[in-house]
Amino acid sequence: MSRPLPPNPPVNLPDGDFAGYIFDCDGTLADSMPPHYRAWRYAYEKHNAKFDFTWELFYSLAGAGLHDSVRILNERFGDNLDPDAVVATQSEDLEKEFQRIEPIEPVVTLARELAKTHPVSVASGGGRVHVHETLKSVGLEGFFPVIVTKDDVANSKPAPDTFLRAAELMGVPPEKCLVFEDSKLGLKAAEAAGMEWVYIEPELYSAGSGI
Protein backbone atom coordinates (compact mmCIF):
# COMPACT_ATOMS: atom_id res chain seq x y z
CA MET A 1 0.00 0.00 0.00
CA SER A 2 2.59 2.54 1.11
CA ARG A 3 6.34 2.62 0.90
CA PRO A 4 9.30 4.48 2.40
CA LEU A 5 10.52 7.70 0.90
CA PRO A 6 13.77 7.51 -1.06
CA PRO A 7 16.86 8.83 0.75
CA ASN A 8 17.19 11.88 -1.51
CA PRO A 9 14.73 14.26 -3.16
CA PRO A 10 12.59 14.30 -5.20
CA VAL A 11 10.03 12.52 -3.05
CA ASN A 12 7.78 10.10 -4.94
CA LEU A 13 4.19 9.79 -3.78
CA PRO A 14 2.30 6.48 -3.82
CA ASP A 15 -0.43 6.08 -6.41
CA GLY A 16 -3.79 7.36 -5.27
CA ASP A 17 -6.35 10.11 -5.71
CA PHE A 18 -5.43 12.14 -2.63
CA ALA A 19 -7.18 15.41 -1.82
CA GLY A 20 -5.30 16.39 1.34
CA TYR A 21 -1.95 15.75 2.98
CA ILE A 22 -1.19 15.44 6.69
CA PHE A 23 2.33 15.71 8.11
CA ASP A 24 3.60 14.65 11.49
CA CYS A 25 6.00 17.21 12.94
CA ASP A 26 8.85 15.70 14.98
CA GLY A 27 10.93 13.30 12.91
CA THR A 28 8.95 14.03 9.75
CA LEU A 29 9.18 17.75 9.01
CA ALA A 30 11.83 18.44 11.65
CA ASP A 31 14.84 16.38 12.64
CA SER A 32 13.91 17.03 16.23
CA MET A 33 14.04 13.48 17.50
CA PRO A 34 17.72 13.59 18.61
CA PRO A 35 17.09 16.69 20.79
CA HIS A 36 13.96 15.03 22.17
CA TYR A 37 15.93 11.90 22.97
CA ARG A 38 18.67 13.83 24.79
CA ALA A 39 16.04 15.70 26.84
CA TRP A 40 14.17 12.50 27.72
CA ARG A 41 17.36 10.69 28.67
CA TYR A 42 18.38 13.57 30.92
CA ALA A 43 14.94 13.59 32.56
CA TYR A 44 14.89 9.86 33.24
CA GLU A 45 18.39 9.90 34.65
CA LYS A 46 17.57 12.88 36.86
CA HIS A 47 14.50 11.10 38.24
CA ASN A 48 16.45 7.85 38.82
CA ALA A 49 14.57 5.65 36.38
CA LYS A 50 15.14 1.93 36.80
CA PHE A 51 15.77 1.42 33.08
CA ASP A 52 18.32 2.53 30.51
CA PHE A 53 16.55 4.88 28.11
CA THR A 54 18.07 3.82 24.79
CA TRP A 55 17.46 5.31 21.35
CA GLU A 56 15.56 2.13 20.38
CA LEU A 57 13.33 2.40 23.44
CA PHE A 58 12.78 6.08 22.72
CA TYR A 59 11.67 5.45 19.12
CA SER A 60 9.36 2.64 20.15
CA LEU A 61 7.34 5.30 21.99
CA ALA A 62 7.46 7.92 19.21
CA GLY A 63 4.01 9.35 18.61
CA ALA A 64 2.71 8.67 22.10
CA GLY A 65 1.73 11.57 24.33
CA LEU A 66 4.39 12.81 26.75
CA HIS A 67 2.68 11.68 29.93
CA ASP A 68 1.52 8.47 28.28
CA SER A 69 5.15 7.63 27.47
CA VAL A 70 6.11 7.79 31.14
CA ARG A 71 3.11 5.69 32.15
CA ILE A 72 3.94 3.06 29.53
CA LEU A 73 7.51 2.78 30.80
CA ASN A 74 6.35 2.63 34.41
CA GLU A 75 4.19 -0.35 33.53
CA ARG A 76 6.84 -2.01 31.36
CA PHE A 77 9.66 -1.73 33.88
CA GLY A 78 7.77 -1.75 37.16
CA ASP A 79 8.79 1.83 37.92
CA ASN A 80 6.81 4.54 39.74
CA LEU A 81 8.02 7.73 38.08
CA ASP A 82 5.82 10.82 38.39
CA PRO A 83 4.71 11.64 34.80
CA ASP A 84 4.19 15.32 35.61
CA ALA A 85 7.66 15.68 37.12
CA VAL A 86 9.47 13.78 34.36
CA VAL A 87 7.66 15.67 31.59
CA ALA A 88 8.40 19.00 33.28
CA THR A 89 12.12 18.18 33.41
CA GLN A 90 12.12 16.96 29.81
CA SER A 91 10.30 20.06 28.56
CA GLU A 92 12.62 22.41 30.42
CA ASP A 93 15.71 20.73 29.00
CA LEU A 94 14.22 20.58 25.49
CA GLU A 95 13.86 24.37 25.38
CA LYS A 96 17.66 24.60 25.26
CA GLU A 97 17.71 22.39 22.17
CA PHE A 98 15.41 24.29 19.81
CA GLN A 99 18.25 26.13 18.09
CA ARG A 100 19.75 22.76 17.12
CA ILE A 101 16.67 21.47 15.28
CA GLU A 102 17.08 21.12 11.51
CA PRO A 103 14.41 20.66 8.83
CA ILE A 104 14.09 17.36 7.01
CA GLU A 105 14.50 19.01 3.64
CA PRO A 106 12.93 16.42 1.29
CA VAL A 107 9.71 16.39 3.31
CA VAL A 108 9.60 20.17 3.78
CA THR A 109 10.15 20.64 0.04
CA LEU A 110 7.31 18.24 -0.68
CA ALA A 111 4.98 20.01 1.76
CA ARG A 112 5.66 23.35 0.07
CA GLU A 113 4.92 21.88 -3.36
CA LEU A 114 1.72 20.12 -2.29
CA ALA A 115 0.43 23.25 -0.54
CA LYS A 116 0.29 25.02 -3.90
CA THR A 117 -2.57 22.80 -5.05
CA HIS A 118 -3.97 20.88 -2.04
CA PRO A 119 -4.87 21.37 1.61
CA VAL A 120 -2.01 20.48 3.97
CA SER A 121 -1.89 20.16 7.73
CA VAL A 122 0.19 19.06 10.70
CA ALA A 123 -1.05 16.40 13.11
CA SER A 124 1.33 15.84 16.03
CA GLY A 125 1.42 14.02 19.33
CA GLY A 126 3.35 16.94 20.79
CA GLY A 127 1.94 19.84 22.78
CA ARG A 128 0.71 22.99 21.05
CA VAL A 129 3.52 25.27 22.21
CA HIS A 130 6.21 22.77 21.33
CA VAL A 131 4.83 22.05 17.86
CA HIS A 132 4.58 25.73 16.96
CA GLU A 133 8.11 26.38 18.25
CA THR A 134 9.45 23.44 16.26
CA LEU A 135 7.80 24.59 13.05
CA LYS A 136 9.22 28.04 13.64
CA SER A 137 12.70 26.57 14.12
CA VAL A 138 12.59 24.89 10.69
CA GLY A 139 11.19 27.87 8.80
CA LEU A 140 7.55 26.78 8.68
CA GLU A 141 6.00 29.32 11.04
CA GLY A 142 2.57 30.26 9.70
CA PHE A 143 2.87 27.89 6.73
CA PHE A 144 0.29 25.27 7.74
CA PRO A 145 -3.28 26.60 7.98
CA VAL A 146 -4.27 23.57 10.07
CA ILE A 147 -2.21 22.34 13.04
CA VAL A 148 -3.60 19.71 15.40
CA THR A 149 -1.71 18.71 18.56
CA LYS A 150 -2.34 16.45 21.53
CA ASP A 151 -3.91 19.45 23.26
CA ASP A 152 -6.68 19.51 20.66
CA VAL A 153 -7.94 15.92 20.92
CA ALA A 154 -9.11 13.49 23.55
CA ASN A 155 -6.68 10.69 22.66
CA SER A 156 -3.11 10.80 21.36
CA LYS A 157 -1.64 8.46 18.75
CA PRO A 158 -2.04 5.53 18.16
CA ALA A 159 -5.67 6.62 18.44
CA PRO A 160 -6.87 8.19 15.16
CA ASP A 161 -8.21 11.38 16.76
CA THR A 162 -5.38 13.69 15.68
CA PHE A 163 -5.52 12.69 12.02
CA LEU A 164 -9.31 12.69 11.90
CA ARG A 165 -9.42 16.19 13.36
CA ALA A 166 -6.88 17.42 10.81
CA ALA A 167 -8.93 15.94 7.96
CA GLU A 168 -12.06 17.55 9.34
CA LEU A 169 -10.44 20.98 9.55
CA MET A 170 -9.05 20.63 6.02
CA GLY A 171 -12.49 19.66 4.76
CA VAL A 172 -11.15 16.42 3.26
CA PRO A 173 -12.64 12.92 3.79
CA PRO A 174 -10.23 10.70 5.75
CA GLU A 175 -9.98 8.17 2.93
CA LYS A 176 -8.73 10.95 0.64
CA CYS A 177 -5.86 11.92 2.97
CA LEU A 178 -2.23 10.81 2.77
CA VAL A 179 -0.23 10.84 6.00
CA PHE A 180 3.54 11.31 6.38
CA GLU A 181 4.86 9.72 9.58
CA ASP A 182 8.13 8.54 11.13
CA SER A 183 6.73 6.54 14.04
CA LYS A 184 5.07 3.14 14.18
CA LEU A 185 2.42 4.47 16.58
CA GLY A 186 1.69 7.23 14.08
CA LEU A 187 1.28 4.71 11.28
CA LYS A 188 -1.19 2.75 13.43
CA ALA A 189 -3.11 5.97 14.02
CA ALA A 190 -3.23 6.70 10.28
CA GLU A 191 -4.52 3.22 9.54
CA ALA A 192 -7.11 3.53 12.32
CA ALA A 193 -8.25 6.76 10.66
CA GLY A 194 -8.66 4.98 7.33
CA MET A 195 -5.78 6.87 5.71
CA GLU A 196 -2.87 5.74 3.57
CA TRP A 197 0.61 6.69 4.70
CA VAL A 198 4.21 7.21 3.70
CA TYR A 199 6.83 6.11 6.21
CA ILE A 200 9.67 8.56 6.85
CA GLU A 201 12.36 6.11 7.88
CA PRO A 202 14.43 7.41 10.85
CA GLU A 203 17.49 5.56 9.56
CA LEU A 204 17.39 7.66 6.39
CA TYR A 205 16.39 11.04 7.72
CA SER A 206 17.35 11.42 11.38
CA ALA A 207 20.75 12.17 12.81
CA GLY A 208 19.69 10.01 15.74
CA SER A 209 21.28 6.97 14.20
CA GLY A 210 24.61 8.50 15.20
CA ILE A 211 23.69 8.96 18.86
Side-chain angles (χ1 to χ4, degrees):
M1 177 182 68
S2 302
R3 52 186 179 273
L5 292 174
N8 297 302
V11 170
N12 296 317
L13 299 178
D15 295 332
D17 182 23
F18 303 110
Y21 298 89
I22 304 175
F23 294 83
D24 176 52
C25 182
D26 294 305
T28 300
L29 291 164
D31 190 16
S32 49
M33 298 306 270
H36 273 269
Y37 171 69
R38 289 189 290 268
W40 274 118
R41 188 170 179 84
Y42 170 76
Y44 284 123
E45 289 178 350
K46 182 176 180 178
H47 290 273
N48 300 310
K50 296 179 180 179
F51 49 86
D52 180 22
F53 192 66
T54 64
W55 174 258
E56 291 73 22
L57 182 56
F58 164 66
Y59 235 104
S60 73
L61 298 167
L66 301 180
H67 293 77
D68 289 340
S69 295
V70 183
R71 296 187 187 102
I72 290 169
L73 293 177
N74 275 340
E75 183 176 351
R76 186 178 302 178
F77 294 101
D79 216 331
N80 60 353
L81 297 165
D82 179 352
D84 289 334
V86 175
V87 169
T89 300
Q90 190 268 354
S91 299
E92 181 180 353
D93 192 68
L94 185 61
E95 289 183 11
K96 307 170 187 176
E97 298 273 4
F98 273 117
Q99 69 273 16
R100 302 173 65 179
I101 296 175
E102 298 289 338
I104 296 179
E105 293 292 355
V107 185
V108 171
T109 297
L110 175 63
R112 292 189 181 279
E113 286 300 312
L114 292 174
K116 296 176 181 178
T117 55
H118 293 79
V120 295
S121 63
V122 167
S124 172
R128 186 179 298 116
V129 172
H130 165 75
V131 171
H132 282 269
E133 285 295 324
T134 300
L135 293 173
K136 180 179 179 181
S137 296
V138 298
L140 291 172
E141 183 179 21
F143 175 76
F144 289 96
V146 172
I147 299 174
V148 181
T149 73
K150 74 175 185 65
D151 298 323
D152 304 309
V153 295
N155 302 294
S156 297
K157 304 171 187 177
D161 302 34
T162 314
F163 290 132
L164 291 174
R165 180 58 175 159
E168 178 185 3
L169 292 174
M170 290 193 299
V172 177
E175 65 273 15
K176 292 288 187 178
C177 292
L178 180 65
V179 168
F180 297 85
E181 257 286 355
D182 71 303
S183 75
K184 299 299 177 64
L185 292 180
L187 299 182
K188 289 181 180 179
E191 290 181 352
M195 302 176 183
E196 291 196 49
W197 47 260
V198 173
Y199 180 42
I200 310 301
E201 293 187 81
E203 293 79 8
L204 297 178
Y205 289 97
S206 177
S209 58
I211 287 179

